[in-house]
Amino acid sequence: MSAGTGNLRPGDDASVPPPPAPTRPGLDPLTARRRFATVSFLFWLPPGMSIATGVLLYTERGMGLAAIAGFFAVHSLTAAAMELPTGGLSDVIGRRTVLAGAGLLNATALTLIGLSATAWAITLGMALMGCARALSSGPAEAWYVDTVHAHAGPGADIRTGLARGSSAMSASLALGTLLGGGLPWLLGLVPHAGEWLTDATGGLVIPLSVPALLGVLVEIVFVLYVVSALPEPPRPRATLRGVVGGVPAAIGAGLRLGGQDAVIRRLLLTASTSGAALAAVELLTPRRAAALMGTAESGALLFAQLACAGFVCFALGSQLGPLAAWLTRSSERAVLTGRGLMVLGLALLGLTTGSTSTLATAAAAAGFGLVYLGLGVAAPNANDLLHRRVDASGRATALSVQSLVLQLVAAGAGLAVGILPLGPLPWLLGAAIVLAGALLWVRRTDGGPQEPVPAQPVPAGSAPER
């Protein structure tokens, strides 16, 4: 029996072809997943390239340590201040527009950082980069989830795509760190290449500024890709009045999320403990590396290698996130598993403080990797829970709230770590904070699909999600 007639029922007319099966518009989940991973990779590659050379570049430009610390403070404070407004902006005017704006701001910031030799220009560049960081914190992920839900329904699996995005981000940062550190070194292998570059540009471009300027080209590619590859449903024309009114409404809705849903409240508290853990790792590890290697320069090189390994561990953990959810039979227990790995890693780092033996060093390195591995395992599962509890009109805002909580707690924890005596105490304090966050997930709750928490209505003319 042929395929064309095998399913005929009595009364069917074989001469009339059956109507096509209904399909939903938009990209299929596999394509959306691939494009989300590509966007994540392209956006984070330039910041990764600036990690290895940033401090050295500013030093070469004649900046003191206090000024350099001020540059990074400007970046962090700008990102924190802009998190909620930019998240609300994405929910009002669209994901693609905000992402493209983030890329353009990053390109401008990297140009200023790569070419400028004055403190005010570098400060402006760091502020623009912080603003771009805030703009990018939710729109790409919100676009991916919106696209999958539009095509396959709100019950579709998004963990795998979220894991791929996290892995792409981590791989990009790892590769960028290696490229950023390697390019000036490669230029140094060519006789007189650095001197020629500096002389030909009148001192504007030096070998250490090459990674930042190459990052500008990557940002241009990022913007072109976002504009061409991330389609969105048609939106009502956004007006200035609607945007001005809609963004505060979206911000207010984001701030109320924690009070409306217990799981969202746990997710925000969990994000805060991640901030405390990362503050301890990022502030204390360079000192330990310098003490182990004997000089600050050698310690910085070792820390760059550790940072690259940490990004790789985070990427691996993100890939294992869906498997962890399958093995533990829920996203919530997978989050608990990831937090447990982080506690173990921080405990190992604390217990090995003060010893430079081979065994202690190996245990400390394992602990460093476990922190990032556990963070990677928990991340896609935590965001899976978040996306099941917010609708499209507030998705990017919810992600911005999560990022804001992490950054603010990281800033406070960093200050606390800075005044504590060196030794195991700061590490073990971080482990205790993460353990407290993990205990929030011990009590089983329903983490499956359910009715999402709606955002507050956006004023007319502000282009709500469809």
Side-chain angles (χ1 to χ4, degrees):
M1 186 177 290
S2 68
T5 61
N7 294 324
L8 286 178
R9 297 186 300 272
D12 285 343
D13 185 356
S15 65
V16 179
T23 59
R24 297 188 178 185
L27 299 177
D28 62 274
L30 184 60
T31 303
R33 181 193 309 167
R34 184 170 60 250
R35 295 187 182 184
F36 171 51
T38 302
V39 165
S40 300
F41 183 89
L42 288 174
F43 181 82
W44 286 103
L45 185 60
M49 294 170 66
S50 67
I51 288 175
T53 58
V55 174
L56 295 175
L57 173 61
Y58 304 144
T59 302
E60 190 71 14
R61 297 294 196 188
M63 306 298 163
L65 184 60
I68 295 172
F71 298 152
F72 285 98
V74 167
H75 176 274
S76 298
L77 292 175
T78 304
M82 297 299 293
E83 274 291 353
L84 285 181
T86 54
L89 186 66
S90 170
D91 286 328
V92 171
I93 69 173
R95 324 301 192 196
R96 182 170 56 184
T97 302
V98 172
L99 275 175
L104 293 174
L105 285 177
N106 247 353
T108 305
L110 290 169
T111 301
L112 287 170
I113 289 170
L115 298 179
S116 300
T118 59
W120 71 265
I122 297 175
T123 300
L124 177 59
M126 294 296 280
L128 291 176
M129 188 175 289
C131 188
R133 170 67 182 87
L135 280 169
S136 69
S137 65
E141 186 171 317
W143 173 87
Y144 167 71
V145 177
D146 291 346
T147 303
V148 173
H149 285 179
H151 188 276
D157 172 59
I158 58 174
R159 275 190 299 253
T160 302
L162 296 177
R164 296 287 173 81
S166 294
S167 296
M169 177 189 71
S170 300
S172 179
L173 287 168
L175 177 61
T177 301
L178 294 177
L179 286 175
L183 285 173
W185 178 77
L186 289 174
L187 283 173
L189 295 180
V190 181
H192 308 295
E195 293 85 348
W196 176 86
L197 184 64
T198 303
D199 293 340
T201 59
L204 285 176
V205 180
I206 61 177
L208 287 171
S209 63
V210 170
L213 298 178
L214 184 59
V216 175
L217 300 179
V218 178
E219 289 293 354
I220 294 173
V221 174
F222 167 80
V223 172
L224 294 176
Y225 187 82
V226 165
V227 172
S228 62
L230 302 189
E232 288 190 282
R235 297 171 178 270
R237 184 181 179 86
T239 64
L240 178 61
R241 179 180 179 183
V243 170
V244 171
V247 170
I251 293 172
L255 292 174
R256 287 190 291 271
L257 286 174
Q260 295 174 332
D261 188 285
V263 173
I264 294 179
R265 189 159 53 248
R266 293 181 189 179
L267 289 169
L268 296 179
L269 290 171
T270 300
S272 70
T273 65
S274 295
L278 290 174
V281 169
E282 292 172 0
L283 287 173
L284 297 174
T285 305
R287 294 183 179 182
R288 288 187 66 169
L292 180 65
M293 300 301 293
T295 66
E297 293 78 11
S298 299
L301 178 61
L302 176 60
F303 179 66
Q305 295 170 342
L306 282 172
C308 180
F311 295 140
V312 172
C313 288
F314 183 87
L316 176 61
S318 297
Q319 286 295 312
L320 295 175
L323 176 62
W326 181 76
L327 291 174
T328 61
R329 299 189 177 184
S330 78
S331 291
E332 292 185 333
R333 284 189 286 269
V335 172
L336 176 60
T337 300
R339 311 306 288 186
L341 291 174
M342 292 180 66
V343 172
L344 178 60
L346 289 167
L348 283 174
L349 285 164
L351 294 174
T352 55
T353 300
S355 175
T356 58
S357 68
T358 302
L359 181 60
T361 301
F368 186 90
L370 283 174
V371 172
Y372 283 93
L373 182 69
L375 193 64
V377 168
N381 291 289
N383 283 8
D384 173 63
L385 291 169
L386 179 66
H387 290 307
R388 294 185 186 281
R389 282 170 162 77
V390 294
D391 61 14
S393 65
R395 183 160 287 129
T397 302
L399 291 168
S400 290
V401 173
Q402 191 179 43
S403 178
L404 172 64
V405 170
L406 186 149
Q407 292 186 60
L408 289 178
V409 173
L415 294 175
V417 168
I419 62 176
L420 288 174
L422 294 178
L425 180 59
W427 295 106
L428 297 179
L429 178 61
I433 293 173
V434 175
L435 177 61
L439 294 177
L440 295 172
W441 301 98
V442 171
R443 183 171 65 88
R444 179 176 179 177
T445 60
D446 179 19
Q450 56 184 272
E451 191 68 24
V453 177
Q456 293 297 314
V458 179
S462 59
E465 288 282 341
R466 288 186 176 182

